[in-house]
Structures are given as structure tokens and as C-alpha cells.
Amino acid sequence: MKGQLLDMHIETEAIVLKSVKYSESDSILTLFTRKLGKVTAVAKGARRSKSMLMPCSQVFAYGTYMLYKSSSMYRVNQCDLKENFFGISRDMNLLSHAAYIAKLTRNSIVENQTNNRLFGLLLKTLYCYGYRDYDVEYITRIFELKYLEYLGYRPQMNACVNCQSHDEKTYRISIRLGGVLCSDCLPFDPRAERVDRTTVELMKYIIEDSFERCVKARVSPIILKELKRVLKLYMYENIEGYEEYRQY
């Protein structure tokens, strides 16, 4: 019996994606964990000012959580807080971007299904928002493109999505077909988006290289604006319910 009880306790890294009031003293957390994927957990007494769980129950909090599996949901027994990203909440622009990627993540991942690449991407992006002097818009675009890849919607940028040829003269992206189109295949999607060559190369670079290297690139505001436009269209096409993110 003692062994069975021990098995009900799970220690895992987690990021708080959502926190809602459950009672006068408790909170219900939506956690993105490394070991369990997305889970719902109650943090008993977390709303009390002197509770040790209070800082671990804030949105964006990251730490090692000790969870106990009860019959209906998990319960947070304790937490070793690693980072609360408090600086994000003090800047409305940062907060808006962080809330956006947290909501994207929360609405896309499946309960109890792990996605460690997406977990790492979310964590790295929050660190960039909170502690690095990077272009916030560009960091969010990197997140979006790698997020699409990790969910299985990677746009094909290194060859024509229709015939697989390498036509370096025409730069159009078919949102419907999911990648670049060569000049011969333009009739397959007359509404394909005309884009700058630099934008195509930037998208290829972000997809193929590491997050750590991509964030160091310097991107002109014009290219960044075009990248945002293309990615928004691509997200609308592939992510269910993306209309609710219009303000981002």
C-alpha cells in the first residue's frame, strides 16, 4: 500500500499556463509539464498571502512541481520555484506577447500528452521576453514558426510545395498548399502571397536553425512586418479557432 501511495506522487518541471480562482483560498492551475503534458491541478491555499504555493500559482511561473493524483484531478503538494518572470507582468507589451503564446500553447496541446520540444520553446521564449534585449515582435514570430513545426504544420520553404523543384526566381507562398510555389505551379494557387526573397530566406533560416541562433539575427522592420502578415495567414489556415487571437 505504501508503494502504491508513493507512485501517486509525480515530480515534474512545469509552467503555469492559466490560474483561476477556485475558492477563497484555492486556485485551479493549468500546467504544461514535461512528464505529463497539459494537466489541471488544484493548489490548496495558494490564494493566501503567506502560502508557499502562492508564487508557484501565478501565470508563467516555472518550477519543479510535486503533484499528487487524486480521483478527479491533480493536486499541487509543493513546488520548487525556478522563475516567476515577474518582469513580464510589468510591461504591457511583453505581457501581451507572453499571454498570446501561453494561450496558443494551452489551446493546442492535448491533456496528458507530452510535447517536450514545445515545452522547451515556450520556456526559452519566456526567458527572452523577461531577460534579453531582443525585438519582442521578432521573438514572437520565431515562436509561431517553430510552434507550427512542432504541431506538424511546418511550411515547406526549401522547394516548391507542389512539384518539389527549386525555382529561385519566383517568391510566392501558398497558404492553402503550405509552402512556396515555383513559377510553373502558380496556377495551382492564383492567390498565393507574393513575398520578398529575404522573407522566404528568413523563414527557412528560422525553421532549419536553432532557437538560440535565430534570436540573435537582426531583422528589418519591413521584413518583420511581412513575416508577421504571412504567419498570421498561415495560422488562420491551420490553427483551429485562431480568430480569437486577432488582437495579436
Side-chain angles (χ1 to χ4, degrees), residues 9-231:
H9 288 84
I10 300 169
E11 183 178 353
T12 179
E13 289 180 66
I15 302 168
V16 179
L17 299 179
K18 186 177 182 180
S19 178
V20 297
K21 179 180 178 180
Y22 180 57
S23 67
E24 288 302 316
S25 61
D26 303 340
S27 294
I28 295 291
L29 310 180
T30 301
L31 298 173
F32 186 15
T33 75
R34 280 201 185 273
K35 291 183 179 179
L36 303 168
K38 182 173 71 173
V39 299
T40 302
V42 61
K44 291 283 188 180
R47 297 179 60 81
R48 298 193 185 102
S49 60
K50 295 183 179 181
S51 171
M52 296 184 66
L53 292 181
M54 187 178 188
C56 305
S57 302
Q58 308 303 308
V59 177
F60 312 132
Y62 160 63
T64 300
Y65 288 70
M66 181 65 76
L67 304 178
Y68 174 76
K69 183 66 166 68
S70 63
S71 57
S72 57
M73 68 174 69
Y74 290 90
R75 186 178 75 220
V76 180
N77 278 356
Q78 62 186 66
C79 172
D80 176 16
L81 184 67
K82 299 179 184 295
E83 184 55 64
N84 61 8
F85 298 107
F86 181 71
I88 291 176
S89 63
R90 301 174 66 179
D91 184 305
M92 289 305 297
N93 185 43
L94 286 176
L95 182 59
S96 175
H97 282 263
Y100 166 60
I101 66 170
K103 190 173 183 180
L104 264 181
T105 303
R106 187 177 77 244
N107 291 347
S108 300
I109 54 178
V110 179
E111 291 275 354
N112 300 305
Q113 182 174 309
T114 60
N115 190 329
N116 283 329
R117 289 203 300 172
L118 184 54
F119 183 95
L121 174 65
L122 176 62
L123 186 59
K124 292 172 187 176
T125 305
L126 290 174
Y127 269 110
C128 282
Y129 288 159
Y131 294 105
R132 299 290 187 270
D133 186 22
Y134 294 131
D135 186 325
V136 177
E137 285 283 346
Y138 176 50
I139 296 300
T140 300
R141 304 291 82 84
I142 295 175
F143 177 90
E144 287 177 333
L145 197 44
K146 289 190 175 294
Y147 161 89
L148 285 166
E149 178 184 1
Y150 296 165
L151 290 183
Y153 300 112
R154 172 178 176 163
Q156 181 170 309
M157 306 303 297
N158 59 355
C160 176
V161 70
N162 187 64
C163 72
Q164 309 306 314
S165 70
H166 297 267
D167 183 351
E168 299 296 334
K169 298 178 182 179
T170 302
Y171 293 94
R172 294 203 180 189
I173 297 177
S174 171
I175 305 301
R176 180 174 59 84
L177 297 178
V180 292
L181 281 178
C182 70
S183 54
D184 292 336
C185 292
L186 289 180
F188 287 94
D189 186 1
R191 300 179 64 183
E193 300 290 322
R194 186 184 296 275
V195 295
D196 189 274
R197 173 180 177 176
T198 306
T199 303
V200 173
E201 293 301 321
L202 177 60
M203 292 179 71
K204 289 168 61 176
Y205 171 64
I206 293 173
I207 289 172
E208 295 171 1
D209 218 323
S210 69
F211 180 92
E212 291 79 6
R213 291 187 60 181
C214 289
V215 297
K216 297 177 182 178
R218 293 293 179 262
V219 182
S220 76
I222 295 175
I223 297 301
L224 189 57
K225 183 177 180 180
E226 184 170 69
L227 176 62
K228 179 177 181 179
R229 177 179 65 83
V230 171
L231 282 176

